[in-house]
Amino acid sequence: MEVRPLSIADAYEITPRQMKDDRGVFLESFRGDLLAEHLGHRPEIVQTNVSVSSRGTVRGIHFADVPPSQAKYITALTGSLLDFVVDIRVGSPTFGQWEAILLDTVDRRAVYLPEGMGHAFAALEDHTTAMYLVTSPYNPGREHGIHPLDPAIGLELPEGMREPLLSAKDADAPTLAEAEQQSLLPTYAACREFYASLLETR
């Protein structure tokens, strides 16, 4: 399994080694010990989430308060999606920037997002099934969103997805600037402090 740092610090792309024969394919989709070599700690997975989306659906940009927020490990079980890692940590050198990674059933890549990062994805096929391994249970009182079509962020959606399908909650979400004005965004300093606390408990 190859673990590659993304251009946004603390986020990673994971590409598994696939073993194929006439029966099909076998792979290790998650290795906490290998990920720990890059993070400095082993992520404690406490919940698994699965979403099934029709083509043209955009979910996000979602994030949670730090601490404890919620680190995520995302992969596609069926179909394909364009996964977006968005740096919303105020004070980060890459604040407001994003990176997109194709997750599908061909390369079977995964993405790891640390606590405090914004996450979104666009489903490229009907019946696209995404699986998330997360380090903290869902807590609606600490969950927030940023509008995925905020031009200041400028997520580049796939061609033909000019009018994506959004949930009512995502459609009503504030822009990045509004979220910052409302003090909803985590700070880079708070995130770094939280990451350091995870190293101490390794």
Side-chain angles (χ1 to χ4, degrees), residues 8-22:
I8 297 173
D10 309 306
Y12 295 87
E13 173 193 89
I14 299 92
T15 304
R17 178 187 172 198
Q18 301 185 60
M19 288 161 277
K20 302 179 182 180
D21 59 25
D22 353 352

Side-chain angles (χ1 to χ4, degrees), residues 7-191:
S7 60
I8 297 173
D10 309 306
Y12 295 87
E13 173 193 89
I14 299 92
T15 304
R17 178 187 172 198
Q18 301 185 60
M19 288 161 277
K20 302 179 182 180
D21 59 25
D22 353 352
R23 300 168 300 168
V25 179
F26 176 85
L27 65 142
E28 296 175 338
S29 62
F30 175 79
R31 283 282 301 271
D33 57 335
L34 296 182
L35 198 54
E37 293 177 7
H38 296 267
L39 303 180
H41 71 280
R42 183 175 298 188
E44 182 183 359
I45 304 302
V46 300
Q47 182 173 315
T48 301
N49 302 328
V50 172
S51 67
V52 182
S53 303
S54 57
R55 183 181 183 280
T57 294
V58 172
R59 297 180 184 266
I61 303 166
H62 299 149
F63 65 99
D65 292 337
V66 178
S69 187
Q70 190 183 66
K72 299 177 181 178
Y73 187 94
I74 306 104
T75 191
L77 299 181
T78 63
S80 59
L81 58 95
L82 194 60
D83 199 83
F84 295 98
V85 177
V86 187
D87 195 347
I88 58 166
R89 300 169 297 181
V90 177
S92 167
T94 53
F95 176 72
Q97 297 180 28
W98 55 270
E99 188 165 347
I101 302 93
L102 175 64
L103 303 183
D104 58 22
T105 56
V106 178
D107 295 315
R108 300 185 184 275
R109 293 187 183 95
V111 171
Y112 173 83
L113 292 86
E115 295 83 354
M117 199 75 76
H119 176 249
F121 75 76
L124 306 180
E125 303 176 45
D126 285 333
H127 311 296
T128 289
T129 304
M131 182 176 71
Y132 316 65
L133 309 180
V134 298
T135 59
S136 181
Y138 174 71
N139 184 337
R142 302 180 66 83
E143 299 286 331
H144 307 285
I146 296 168
H147 201 294
L149 304 184
D150 179 0
I153 296 176
L155 296 185
E156 294 179 7
L157 298 179
E159 189 174 347
M161 207 179 283
R162 291 195 180 93
E163 295 183 9
L165 179 61
L166 306 178
S167 70
K169 184 177 179 180
D170 288 345
D172 289 338
T175 64
L176 181 67
E178 290 169 341
E180 184 175 7
Q181 290 167 1
Q182 296 168 24
S183 300
L184 295 177
L185 302 180
T187 66
Y188 188 59
C191 290

